[in-house]
């Protein structure tokens, strides 16, 4: 692919050491697909490399205080099962989140930790994106956190392009429809959005169905 070769040459000739991320062919293809031109992909890769260094992505583990605090609510988990296309599945129990008890900085660290861990589980020769599931059972407006959700959207768009393969919304109540009008305006990359609204989602969650 000519654009991949051109981007590789651009990165090599830049004289700037990219030390905070791995730049393989799949990475370059993701950035090119998301940003359409070599120039834009190059700028975004450089921006992500800087962000990863400044944010300290390499040092974010399950044991750092922010991730440990945010994990106490059990709002998200990476399942052992995969979806029907072999993607890693991140399951979010929205009911366990509270805008009154969370710390935004802790939640951002948990988001980055989760994305790093989930994407590292992508099959090398298969799809290199993830399945993100929001279980809306027992949802209330106390769970609706636009700030954290917008941070998730921004981080995925800017620094994990083309990593969201499918987003599944389970058991969304009618009250969520007003929230969805705002959320869908953010345009979640090219990810396929699926909404399932049974009163009670199947248990255990059937990853193979998506």
């Amino acid at each position: 692919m000519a654009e991949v070769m051109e981007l590789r040459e651009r990165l090599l000739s830049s004289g700037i050491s990219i030390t905070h991320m791995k730049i393989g062919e799949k990475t370059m293809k993701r950035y090119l697909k998301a940003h359409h031109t070599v120039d834009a992909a190059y700028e975004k890769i450089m921006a992500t490399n800087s962000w990863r260094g400044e944010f300290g992505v390499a040092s974010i583990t399950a044991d750092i205080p922010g991730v440990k605090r945010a994990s106490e609510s059990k709002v998200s988990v990476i399942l052992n099962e995969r979806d029907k296309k072999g993607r890693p599945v991140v399951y979010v129990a929205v009911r366990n989140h509270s805008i009154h008890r969370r710390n935004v900085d802790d939640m951002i660290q948990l988001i980055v930790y989760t994305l790093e861990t989930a994407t590292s589980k992508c099959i090398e020769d298969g799809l290199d994106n993830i399945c993100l599931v929001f279980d809306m059972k027992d949802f209330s407006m106390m769970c609706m956190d636009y700030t954290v959700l917008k941070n998730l959207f921004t981080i995925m768009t800017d620094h994990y392009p083309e990593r969201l393969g499918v987003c599944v919304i389970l058991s969304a109540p009618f009250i969520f429809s007003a929230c969805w009008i705002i959320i869908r305006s953010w345009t979640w990359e090219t990810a396929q959005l699926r909404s399932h609204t049974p009163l009670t989602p199947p248990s255990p969650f059937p990853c193979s169905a998506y």
Side-chain angles (χ1 to χ4, degrees):
M1 184 177 178
E3 288 183 326
V4 173
M5 294 179 63
E6 184 180 347
L7 179 56
R8 181 183 289 113
E9 288 300 317
R10 180 82 179 272
L11 292 166
L12 289 172
S13 64
S14 69
I16 300 173
S17 180
I18 299 177
T19 57
H20 302 296
M21 60 188 295
K22 294 179 180 179
I23 304 295
E25 184 174 334
K26 277 195 168 185
T27 300
M28 289 186 283
K29 284 182 176 179
R30 283 197 303 272
Y31 276 83
L32 284 166
K33 183 177 180 181
H35 303 294
H36 311 298
T37 69
V38 171
D39 286 344
Y42 170 82
E43 294 297 334
K44 290 295 185 179
I45 287 173
M46 289 302 184
T48 294
N49 183 61
S50 297
W51 170 80
R52 291 179 67 89
E54 292 165 4
F55 195 80
V57 171
S59 64
I60 294 180
T61 69
D63 297 321
I64 66 170
V67 173
K68 290 179 72 172
R69 286 192 296 267
S71 299
E72 288 174 358
S73 66
K74 302 186 185 304
V75 67
S76 65
V77 63
I78 299 172
L79 303 183
N80 292 326
E81 299 87 352
R82 294 174 179 267
D83 74 2
K84 67 181 180 182
K85 292 190 175 181
R87 300 183 184 97
V89 177
V90 178
Y91 176 84
V92 181
V94 176
R95 61 186 173 274
N96 292 339
H97 183 73
S98 170
I99 59 174
H100 302 301
R101 295 195 298 269
R102 59 88 167 119
N103 175 281
V104 173
D105 291 337
D106 289 351
M107 289 303 301
I108 291 173
Q109 287 191 344
L110 178 62
I111 287 169
V112 173
Y113 169 73
T114 302
L115 289 174
E116 286 290 302
T117 305
T119 55
S120 73
K121 295 178 180 292
C122 290
I123 299 170
E124 183 65 28
D125 296 325
L127 289 174
D128 57 351
N129 50 44
I130 66 174
C131 172
L132 180 59
V133 178
F134 290 96
D135 186 348
M136 306 295 289
K137 181 184 177 183
D138 298 330
F139 171 84
S140 71
M141 290 307 294
M142 185 177 69
C143 309
M144 189 62 246
D145 196 332
Y146 292 108
T147 300
V148 169
L149 197 58
K150 184 67 172 177
N151 271 286
L152 169 63
F153 167 77
T154 301
I155 289 169
M156 290 203 75
T157 301
D158 290 352
H159 306 302
Y160 297 86
E162 300 299 322
R163 284 297 206 174
L164 181 58
V166 63
C167 180
V168 180
I169 301 173
L170 292 175
S171 303
F174 179 75
I175 192 176
F176 180 68
S177 59
C179 307
W180 181 242
I181 292 172
I182 297 172
I183 295 167
R184 71 182 179 186
S185 68
W186 297 343
T187 313
W188 285 65
E189 295 185 317
T190 56
Q192 185 174 0
L193 292 168
R194 297 180 182 177
S195 180
H196 297 260
T197 56
L199 291 177
T200 304
S203 182
F205 172 68
C207 299
S208 59
Y210 302 101

